[in-house]
C-alpha cells in the first residue's frame, strides 16, 4: 500500500476565509493572491481552485484530493493521464479528454470538472482538475503557506491514521 502525502485541514482551526482557494488559483496562474483577488473583483476569469472550502455540521474546511493509496481515479481514466509519481497522484491535465470518469469514482468529490481554458481547446471540452500538491514538493503548497490559522498541513497516511487513533 502506498503511503501518499496529502493536504490535511483541521476543521477546528479553519475559519473559512477561502485564502486557500485564492492561493491555489494564484499558484496555478503564476501570479500572487492579490492579483487573483483583484481579477475576481473586476469580473475576470481566474484558474479554478483545486480545493473548495465546504461547511459541514457548522465546521469549515477545504476539501481536496486525498491522494488515495488505491486511487480509483487512476484506475478509471481511459487515457492514463493520472499516474502515481513522486509519492503523489499526478494529473496530466493537458491530455485530459474530459470524460468525467475520475470525477464519478472519486470517493471524496475532490475532482473539479472545469472548462478547458487553453486557447486551442474545443469550447465544450471539460478538463479534470484536482489538488496536485503544487508539484508535490514539501514546503511549496500555496494553501499551507497562506493559511492564517495554520489549519492546513501536508501529511501522509501513517500520520493521518495516528491522528485518528488519538481522536483528532
Amino acid at each position: 500500500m502506498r503511503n501518499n502525502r496529502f493536504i490535511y485541514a483541521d476543521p477546528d482551526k479553519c475559519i473559512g476565509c477561502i485564502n486557500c482557494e485564492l492561493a491555489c488559483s494564484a499558484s496555478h496562474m503564476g501570479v500572487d493572491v492579490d492579483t487573483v483577488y483583484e481579477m475576481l473583483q473586476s469580473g475576470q476569469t481566474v484558474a479554478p481552485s483545486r480545493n473548495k472550502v465546504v461547511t459541514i455540521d457548522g465546521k469549515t474546511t477545504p476539501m481536496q484530493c486525498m491522494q488515495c493509496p488505491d486511487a480509483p481515479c487512476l484506475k478509471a481514466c481511459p487515457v492514463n493521464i493520472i499516474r502515481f509519481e513522486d509519492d503523489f497522484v499526478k494529473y496530466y491535465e493537458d491530455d485530459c479528454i474530459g470524460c468525467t470518469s475520475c470525477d464519478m469514482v472519486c470517493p471524496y468529490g475532490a475532482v473539479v470538472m472545469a472548462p478547458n481554458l487553453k486557447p486551442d481547446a474545443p469550447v465544450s471540452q471539460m478538463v479534470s482538475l484536482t489538488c496536485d500538491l503544487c508539484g508535490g514538493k514539501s514546503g511549496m503548497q500555496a494553501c499551507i503557506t497562506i493559511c492564517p490559522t495554520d489549519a492546513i498541513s501536508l501529511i501522509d497516511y501513517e500520520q493521518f491514521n495516528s491522528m485518528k487513533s488519538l481522536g483528532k
Side-chain angles (χ1 to χ4, degrees), residues 18-40 44-53 64 93 112 114 117 129-132 134 140-144 146:
I18 73 162
N19 281 344
C20 56
E21 287 185 32
L22 297 173
C24 182
S25 292
S27 172
H28 287 89
M29 293 175 66
V31 299
D32 61 36
V33 173
D34 290 335
T35 300
V36 168
Y37 182 75
E38 289 166 9
M39 290 174 71
L40 288 170
Q44 296 178 49
T45 301
V46 299
S49 174
R50 275 105 166 124
N51 64 26
K52 177 75 177 153
V53 175
Q64 55 217 16
E93 298 162 4
V112 176
L117 300 177
L129 306 173
T130 196
C131 177
D132 59 3
C134 293
M140 302 300 289
Q141 290 71 38
C143 60
I144 294 172
I146 201 165

Side-chain angles (χ1 to χ4, degrees), residues 65 70-77 82 89 91 101-103 105-107 111:
C65 181
D70 62 345
C73 58
L74 184 147
K75 295 172 186 172
C77 181
I82 308 168
V89 178
Y91 275 56
S101 293
C102 55
D103 182 36
V105 300
C106 178
V111 176

